[in-house]
């Protein structure tokens, strides 16, 4: 009962009523979600009550008298939660593309906000990106990070060298502009070209500019294998030097020789938290990762300057030998290509869904030579079965680890992308929490809502609370589950009944409505006067 009282009291203040009046004043609503099991995003156990939506806001939560109501939805037995916030999304292009801007594969998982600009890639003209979203609408809200890889590319190209004083200045100016335009922080992708060519000092210099505007430092760290601890340490060092929160993307031990190390990295992070540093992470609930074949097997120095230069290095006797040595080691760690599944390859679309080792056998060549051939022909996307299930389950229980997909908006196609784009949130809640009971549902909800909102600094959504934006998911806990698999990835999740984005129905009775109710979420830069 205390919880309802608090919700009502907050509501009174926001609605400008006195406390005494409010309990009796009926609440008018466009939509009334009735008799729901409410998980409010704070991580405390669920309560049963109603939620009223008016316009784009939540106007009442708990027990209250309803006034004039547009539509009442019986939510008996259903869970009402804040719409999920995907901290790690790669829909930068898809969300401004007519064909994919509805982001249906995320709406049907209950997502109402995606964060773009991750892993150092995505647009750096943040105002232009946000304007494009708002001009046409999007299925979900979009919050953007300044991608340091593209930032460096814009100033230095893909050259593997330090910036000159002028170039560093230029990057800092662009970072400053991005923050003024509403970026929530910056991201790095330190296994990718050219993000990885930046050393710790260069990243710190840019991070300081981002920190001055209240942004966070988000990193796909330099190593997720046996150098994991050093890579986490670099990120935390940057955070301390720049005075800003640090967030580790898709936190994991990748590769059998590093299994278990992610738990030590997590302990190390908790030590830093105890000393007052803000450090968090996100995770997708799968044992496979996904990236390009090149980034997985070929050292970054060999990829400098783009594909034509890479091919020239393959052909160079000395360099070619060095690249092969390194690739051979990387392939050995991946069971000779057995753990690598092709997700997309333009030259042979029919290879999608097959393992590298399997294709090599059929083509009668060594996996190493096959990988080089694929790279010469434009490269391929891959899914890499590199993680330990026990590690994945362990990490998702840590309270500072958010759920995030690392995927993007898709239209069903012939490729075999990682199923995370379709299933992440349904799998975390439906499979790992409800069915496997790896973590309580309230914690799984929090890791997908209030926690990511706080990590990002979003204050107007992420909870089912009066006065916040009406981004809400209604799902059936008995049927909420991911259906996308590694062999059949283009399968929408099941069990999401309703999704509201800024108060508008985006999914109704399980069906996407086609509404483009999402908008750009622009970070307000701290000013001197504040
Ligand atoms: Zn990444």
């Amino acid at each position: 009962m205390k919880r309802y009282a608090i919700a009502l009291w907050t509501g009174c203040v926001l609605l400008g009523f006195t406390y005494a009046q409010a309990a009796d004043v009926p609440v008018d609503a466009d939509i009334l979600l009735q008799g729901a099991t409410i998980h409010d995003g704070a991580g405390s156990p669920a309560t049963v009550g109603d939620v009223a939506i008016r316009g784009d806001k939540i106007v009442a939560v708990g027990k209250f008298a309803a006034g004039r109501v547009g539509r009442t939805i019986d939510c008996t037995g259903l869970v009402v939660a804040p719409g999920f916030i995907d901290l790690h999304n790669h829909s930068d292009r898809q969300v401004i593309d007519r064909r994919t801007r509805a982001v249906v594969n995320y709406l049907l998982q209950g997502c109402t906000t995606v964060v773009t600009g991750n892993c150092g890639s995505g647009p750096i003209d943040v105002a232009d990106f946000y304007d494009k979203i708002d001009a046409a609408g999007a299925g979900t809200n979009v919050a953007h990070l300044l991608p340091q890889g593209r930032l460096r590319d814009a100033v230095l190209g893909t050259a593997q060298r330090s910036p000159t004083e002028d170039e560093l200045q230029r990057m800092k100016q662009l970072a400053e502009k991005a923050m003024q335009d509403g970026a929530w922080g910056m991201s790095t992708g330190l296994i990718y070209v050219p993000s990885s060519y930046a050393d710790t000092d260069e990243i710190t210099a840019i991070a300081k500019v981002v920190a001055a505007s209240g942004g966070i430092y988000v990193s796909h760290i330099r190593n997720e294998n046996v150098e994991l601890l050093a890579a986490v340490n670099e990120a935390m060092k940057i955070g301390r030097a720049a005075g800003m929160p640090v967030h580790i993307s898709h936190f994991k031990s990748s590769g059998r020789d590093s299994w278990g190390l992610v738990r030590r990295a997590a302990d190390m992070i908790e030590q830093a938290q105890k000393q007052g540093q803000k450090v968090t992470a996100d995770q997708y609930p799968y044992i496979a990762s996904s990236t390009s074949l090149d980034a997985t097997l070929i050292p970054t120095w060999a990829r400098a300057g783009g594909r034509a230069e890479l091919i020239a290095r393959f052909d160079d006797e000395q360099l070619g030998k060095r690249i092969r040595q390194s690739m051979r080691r990387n392939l050995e760690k991946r069971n000779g290509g057995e753990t690598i599944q092709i997700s997309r390859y333009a030259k042979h679309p029919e290879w999608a869904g097959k393992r590298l080792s399997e294709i090599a056998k059929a083509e009668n060549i060594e996996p190493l030579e096959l990988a080089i051939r694929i790279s010469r022909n434009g490269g391929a996307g891959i899914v890499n079965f590199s993680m330990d299930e026990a590690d994945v389950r362990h990490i998702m229980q840590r309270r500072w680890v958010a759920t995030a997909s690392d995927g993007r908006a898709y239209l069903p196609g012939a490729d075999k992308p990682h199923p995370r784009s379709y299933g992440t949130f349904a799998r975390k809640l439906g499979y790992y929490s409800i069915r496997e009971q790896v973590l309580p549902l309230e914690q799984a909800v929090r890791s997908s809502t209030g926690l990511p909102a706080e990590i990002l600094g979003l204050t107007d959504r992420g909870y089912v609370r009066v006065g916040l934006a009406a981004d809400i998911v209604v799902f059936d806990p008995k049927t909420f589950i991911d259906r996308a698999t590694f062999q059949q990835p283009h399968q929408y999740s099941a069990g999401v009944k309703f999704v509201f984005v800024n108060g508008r129905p985006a999914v109704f009775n399980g069906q996407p409505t086609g509404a483009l109710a999402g908008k750009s979420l622009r970070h307000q830069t701290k000013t001197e006067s504040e």
Side-chain angles (χ1 to χ4, degrees):
M1 277 318 290
K2 201 171 155 205
R3 296 172 55 76
Y4 301 137
I6 291 166
L8 275 173
W9 182 81
T10 318
C12 308
V13 172
L14 286 155
L15 294 167
F17 300 138
T18 69
Y19 180 68
Q21 280 174 327
D24 309 322
V25 174
V27 178
D28 292 345
D30 298 324
I31 293 151
L32 182 67
L33 305 173
Q34 211 167 42
T37 300
I38 304 170
H39 279 278
D40 69 358
S44 35
T47 54
V48 174
D50 304 340
V51 176
I53 299 172
R54 192 165 67 232
D56 59 359
K57 294 278 195 296
I58 297 167
V59 293
V61 179
K63 305 277 186 216
F64 53 87
R68 283 192 305 274
V69 171
R71 188 191 287 264
T72 300
I73 297 171
D74 179 10
C75 293
T76 310
L78 302 179
V79 171
V80 165
F84 304 138
I85 297 169
D86 187 5
L87 278 182
H88 197 95
N89 199 285
H90 287 289
S91 295
D92 304 72
R93 281 199 297 270
Q94 288 72 22
V95 83
I96 51 170
D97 182 320
R98 180 177 52 79
R99 295 165 298 177
T100 43
R101 62 165 41 110
V103 200
V104 174
N105 49 313
Y106 280 90
L107 287 175
L108 286 170
Q109 300 177 50
C111 259
T112 53
T113 295
V114 300
V115 179
T116 51
N118 274 292
C119 299
S121 81
I124 58 171
D125 188 339
V126 178
D128 175 68
F129 180 58
Y130 281 156
D131 288 346
K132 281 180 182 153
I133 290 162
D134 289 337
T140 63
N141 301 306
V142 182
H144 193 63
L145 298 165
L146 167 69
Q148 171 270 341
R150 284 286 76 76
L151 174 69
R152 197 178 207 270
D153 194 21
V155 177
L156 280 88
T158 54
Q160 186 176 15
R161 61 172 175 82
S162 295
T164 63
E165 208 33 62
D166 277 358
E167 286 166 340
L168 185 61
Q169 205 49 41
R170 180 80 188 121
M171 286 193 281
K172 284 159 76 174
Q173 283 163 359
L174 288 169
E176 166 87 53
K177 178 165 188 315
M179 291 309 294
Q180 280 167 7
D181 290 345
W184 295 82
M186 67 182 283
S187 79
T188 51
L190 300 177
I191 66 158
Y192 298 112
V193 173
S195 181
S196 59
Y197 298 151
D199 63 16
T200 309
D201 289 345
E202 179 187 331
I203 299 168
T204 304
I206 297 162
K208 282 180 177 168
V209 174
V210 172
S213 295
I216 62 171
Y217 177 68
V218 178
S219 186
H220 175 156
I221 55 180
R222 274 189 214 273
N223 189 291
E224 295 177 333
N225 184 241
V226 293
E227 303 294 326
L228 177 69
L229 299 184
V232 170
N233 265 322
E234 183 192 26
M236 295 202 296
K237 187 178 168 196
I238 290 165
R240 282 193 300 273
M244 69 206 297
V246 171
H247 183 76
I248 312 287
S249 299
H250 41 60
F251 191 40
K252 60 170 138 3
S253 272
S254 181
R256 189 176 283 271
D257 47 352
S258 72
W259 285 2
L261 205 52
V262 70
R263 304 176 193 206
R264 282 176 57 200
D267 292 341
M268 204 170 76
I269 288 171
E270 287 179 4
Q271 278 305 315
Q273 289 169 344
K274 279 191 194 125
Q275 284 155 24
Q277 194 177 1
K278 278 193 179 172
V279 191
T280 52
D282 63 56
Q283 179 203 40
Y284 46 84
Y286 293 90
I287 56 159
S289 58
S290 178
T291 184
S292 67
L293 185 63
D294 286 358
T296 305
L297 297 181
I298 304 173
T300 47
W301 63 263
R303 288 180 271 138
R307 191 166 305 278
E309 291 191 35
L310 168 62
I311 291 171
R313 290 185 193 109
F314 279 136
D315 292 335
D316 179 282
E317 205 185 314
Q318 287 299 319
L319 296 177
K321 212 167 143 189
R322 268 180 68 198
I323 300 173
R324 280 180 161 76
Q325 270 171 2
S326 174
M327 288 179 75
R328 192 169 288 118
R329 272 197 308 273
N330 286 332
L331 269 168
E332 275 165 18
K333 284 184 182 180
R334 290 161 181 84
N335 296 358
E338 249 174 62
T339 65
I340 295 175
Q341 178 173 308
I342 303 292
S343 60
R344 192 177 314 105
Y345 178 45
K347 192 151 192 276
H348 286 284
E350 74 279 9
W351 287 359
K354 294 195 171 125
R355 304 295 172 110
L356 194 71
S357 52
E358 181 190 350
I359 301 165
K361 211 170 164 197
E363 296 287 306
N364 207 15
I365 59 170
E366 287 299 311
L368 174 65
E369 294 310 319
L370 174 64
I372 292 170
R373 191 193 287 178
I374 290 172
S375 184
R376 284 177 183 276
N377 286 321
I382 64 153
V383 165
N384 185 13
F385 292 86
S386 63
M387 282 172 260
D388 179 19
E389 175 74 30
D391 276 350
V392 171
R393 288 174 182 239
H394 176 94
I395 290 305
M396 73 173 59
Q397 295 175 58
R398 304 261 180 158
R399 295 198 163 268
W400 41 273
V401 177
T403 315
S405 76
D406 200 7
R408 63 169 172 86
Y410 268 98
L411 291 178
D415 55 346
K416 305 266 189 203
H418 194 299
R420 63 195 181 189
S421 292
Y422 286 85
T424 289
F425 291 88
R427 184 169 174 79
K428 174 76 172 275
L429 275 69
Y431 177 70
Y432 280 112
S433 177
I434 297 172
R435 298 193 185 189
E436 294 285 297
Q437 302 195 338
V438 173
L439 72 173
L441 185 56
E442 53 266 31
Q443 191 187 339
V445 169
R446 171 157 175 79
S447 75
S448 311
T449 57
L451 179 64
E454 272 161 37
I455 289 169
L456 204 60
L458 267 177
T459 53
D460 66 339
R461 57 198 80 220
Y463 295 92
V464 179
R465 278 184 194 155
V466 172
L468 296 195
D471 286 354
I472 287 176
V473 54
V474 182
F475 65 84
D476 183 346
K478 294 187 290 301
T479 57
F480 192 29
I481 197 73
D482 58 311
R483 290 194 298 199
T485 64
F486 288 98
Q487 281 308 319
Q488 300 286 333
H490 294 286
Q491 309 287 328
Y492 295 124
S493 290
V496 165
K497 300 290 179 197
F498 300 90
V499 175
F500 300 93
V501 177
N502 296 308
R504 288 169 61 194
V507 175
F508 204 89
N509 275 331
Q511 296 301 316
T513 63
L516 297 172
K519 60 179 185 180
S520 70
L521 303 180
R522 303 182 193 218
H523 179 249
Q524 300 294 320
T525 294
K526 277 192 273 179
T527 57
E528 300 284 320
S529 59
E530 280 175 338

